[in-house]
Amino acid sequence: MSNPPVIFWFRRDLRLQDNLGFKAALDSEQPVIPLFIFDPAILQSPRIGAPRLKFMLNALESLSIELHKHQRELLIRHGDPNDVLRALIDETGADKLFFNIDYTPFARKRDEIIQNTLKIDVQAFHDRLLAAPGDVLKDDGKPYVVYTPFKNKWRKLPKPDRPERYEISADNLHTLEGIQNDGIPTIADLGFDETINVPIASEDKALHILEAYMSKPVYSYKEGRNALGNPSTAQPTNPLTQTSFLSPYIRFGLVSLRQIYWSARDAHAETQSDDRQESVSTFVNEIIWHEFYTHILYFFPQVKTANFYDKYDDLAWNTSDSDLQAWKDGQTGYPVVDAAMRQLKATGWMHNRARMIVASFLTKDLLIDWREGELHFMQWLLDGDLAANNGGWQWAAGTGTDAQPYFRIFNPISQSTKFDPDGDFIRCWIPELRDVPDKFIHEPWKMDNPPENYPPPIVDHSEARQRTLDAFKAATK
């Protein structure tokens, strides 16, 4: 074959524009085979979640539709990626493989094997972050383990150029003629039961959300980002009212961080208001948190299952299955906790402030191991990302890098009154409490006649707080 094909392997980057690896494959001027592989090792993991899988399947359908606009197809295969790639190379004569780097321990090990065993040119690209691991280091060459100095260094570094659209034509893409294509499966085909409705998952939708958010809402992000809001007034497919809802789209690469960063830069430049500019800067800080936790996982992969600080390894966690199940089901008797946990199961998403509240409650009020909560989140969150999820849970538990100190324990009542003052969030997700007066909405057990179908608190916060303080002190003696 005078012009052999090349393979671009889609993974966590299900978009055609501003995709560094895909663009490099196009620039090879060889026919590009767009490939996605369903790996049984991932599908059989207890950390896979049906809502997130359904969102990904929808994203693959959207990617397929985009390729159809160029009269081409997305190639779908199932199996161990190394075996699938070997077979496809033998079948097509492809002489190059392109992909974007995934920084999780599993992906790094998988990709190392592929790069060392395939007999063709393998090119990997740092597409996922604005600053790749190794770009943000202390003066002694060691990685940062505290967010603020990481942020300060990150902000000083040169940023990737503004993304520019590029042309894609049928001539750039392989026809896939004569190549077996398994097609996009259903969630049932993959062995999962049908699950909750999920939002539209596409590159166009992600860019629409980004454009709409940066046109106005971002300017109130600093002030409004912690308010739990009234989800009943939101769009049915978008369960939030105060934040961008970009995280599921970031998770699957339907939008790049470069696109988000430059859109934020433009929003910052379009206002002269110090408050508005500070709000945009606060939004960018969340991108930096995402990068920080990804760097932590890269340099300290043991955090996937272990405390970042091993001084907490002897902590005597509570192993009550009933307490854990009450938390999962939104039946703890603390309305703000229960509302957030029910929101998660109904939508696959949870407000970031709510994530902190429920994580603190599980690890501090119930004294249950953060790993239990981290796993539950991965099974339900549309945006479930190992680095960010792990970092957030260890922060809340007080066991991780840049952690919330163990003696700072969220009071679920004060959190509720501060961030859901009128009880709108609570009433939206807990119908049993919709008729409770405002005076008691955060503490319904104080009513003379509390609702019979809503449980009393499973722990006393003051007593639970002291138990946790004692447990942490004992573990660190």
Side-chain angles (χ1 to χ4, degrees), residues 220-269:
S220 59
Y221 178 75
K222 183 182 178 183
E223 179 182 352
R225 67 195 179 109
N226 281 310
L228 297 175
N230 182 1
S232 64
T233 64
Q235 297 177 8
T237 56
N238 185 340
L240 59 132
T241 55
Q242 298 290 328
T243 55
S244 69
F245 197 56
L246 285 167
S247 57
Y249 298 88
I250 294 171
R251 167 63 179 82
F252 288 103
L254 294 165
V255 62
S256 76
L257 288 183
R258 290 178 297 276
Q259 291 169 315
I260 296 172
Y261 172 78
W262 280 100
S263 184
R265 286 263 303 246
D266 289 343
H268 188 278

Side-chain angles (χ1 to χ4, degrees), residues 133-145 153 295 298-300:
D135 288 350
V136 189
L137 298 173
K138 296 188 287 187
D139 292 342
D140 62 4
K142 295 180 180 179
Y144 287 99
V145 296
K153 183 69 169 285
H295 286 224
Y298 181 89
F299 288 111
F300 306 97

